[in-house]
């Protein structure tokens, strides 16, 4: 009996250790501040999103600036998220290009928020293939206004747990998209429907998924549960995590989204 209990305990411990190893790792990357306070709060919003993501069982988040100093950090990562300056210029830098393209080929997910959807023109072809969309001004434009955020495919997991609503943001206009990209959200600006979120299942990879959104200029928008849920749903989808029918949990307290005092 004692032996049986010992064996049972050993098996249970091994199963627990294996479950710990099975955590879905999501890497969130930010860059140094480059916009007025309360806009483009890259690091703060990455930490906010990490708090939301870890409310889904089995999710582990890692937060870094720019790119991991130790590439061992990338081992086992299921999705890479950028809220930053143009991420295409970061990941397609000559020092990182080969590693990034291999990660994409291996099926690692990719998510870019707001300005992170951008790259320079030289990187545009590779960046569009990876993310599904490309922003640069010019040729693209932008306008800050209020418009109804409209879902284009209610069956996509990104839309679970929230409905269309009015949103004030800095909307990017006339992006360039890959032919396989699926538009997910639109707004009307100057009488024209503009795609502000999209998804792509990358054919040149091992089941790789990407989600991009140009929303996210203002910190205030991250206080909106539907806004957070859409982004967190998108991140989970790229990591091949099943999004709950009611959407991902994104509960936060006021203290979580209250910005620290502005430094002089």
């Amino acid at each position: 009996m004692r032996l049986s209990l010992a064996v049972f305990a050993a098996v249970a411990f091994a199963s627990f250790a294996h479950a710990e190893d099975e955590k879905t790792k999501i890497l969130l990357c930010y860059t140094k501040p480059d916009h007025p306070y309360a806009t483009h709060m890259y690091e703060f919003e990455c930490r906010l999103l990490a708090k939301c993501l870890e409310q889904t069982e089995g999710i582990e988040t890692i937060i870094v600036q720019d790119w991991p100093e130790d590439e061992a950090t990338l081992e086992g990562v299921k999705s890479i998220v950028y809220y930053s300056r143009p991420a295409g210029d970061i990941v397609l830098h000559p020092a990182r290009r080969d590693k990034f393209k291999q990660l994409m080929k291996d099926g690692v997910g990719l998510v870019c928020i707001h300005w992170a959807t951008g790259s320079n023109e030289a990187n545009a072809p590779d960046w569009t293939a990876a993310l599904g969309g490309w922003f640069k001004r010019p040729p693209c434009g932008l306008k800050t206004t209020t418009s109804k955020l409209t879902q284009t495919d209610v069956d996509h997991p990104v839309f679970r747990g929230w409905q269309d609503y009015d949103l004030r943001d800095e909307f990017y206009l006339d992006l360039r998209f890959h032919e396989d990209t699926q538009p997910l959200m639109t707004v009307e600006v100057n009488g024209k429907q503009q795609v502000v979120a999209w998804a792509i299942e990358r054919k040149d990879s091992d089941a790789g998924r990407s989600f991009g959104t140009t929303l996210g200029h203002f910190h205030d928008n991250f206080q909106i549960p539907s806004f957070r849920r859409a982004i967190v749903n998108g991140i989970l989808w790229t990591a091949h995590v099943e999004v709950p029918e009611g959407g991902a949990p994104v509960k936060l307290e006021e203290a979580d989204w209250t910005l620290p005092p502005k430094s002089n």
Side-chain angles (χ1 to χ4, degrees), residues 123-184:
N123 286 329
D126 284 339
W127 187 233
T128 305
L131 182 62
W134 172 65
F135 169 79
K136 185 179 182 298
R137 185 185 180 209
C140 307
L142 57 81
K143 183 175 183 178
T144 299
T145 187
T146 299
S147 182
K148 183 174 287 297
L149 186 62
T150 303
Q151 302 176 353
T152 62
D153 178 3
V154 295
D155 292 329
H156 197 283
V158 168
F159 299 132
R160 293 176 183 170
W162 65 278
Q163 304 294 324
D164 298 356
Y165 64 98
D166 291 338
L167 181 70
R168 180 177 180 269
D169 211 325
E170 180 186 73
F171 297 118
Y172 292 173
L173 312 177
D174 301 318
L175 273 71
R176 305 296 190 260
F177 294 104
H178 191 277
E179 61 182 5
D180 295 328
T181 294
Q182 177 186 6
L184 293 181

Side-chain angles (χ1 to χ4, degrees), residues 4 7 37 81 150 177 182 190-192 195 209 211 236 238:
S4 298
V7 171
Y37 187 76
V81 181
T150 303
F177 294 104
Q182 177 186 6
N190 298 333
K192 180 180 178 180
V195 175
R209 295 172 171 179
F211 170 72
L236 295 177
T238 64

Side-chain angles (χ1 to χ4, degrees), residues 33 35-42 44-45 83 168-169 216-223 257 259-260 262:
H35 272 63
Y37 187 76
T39 65
H40 291 228
M41 302 295 289
Y42 302 134
F44 190 93
E45 313 304 6
Y83 183 50
R168 180 177 180 269
D169 211 325
H217 179 75
F218 297 111
H219 167 67
D220 286 353
N221 287 342
F222 286 87
Q223 300 178 35
W257 68 65
L259 292 175
K262 183 179 180 181

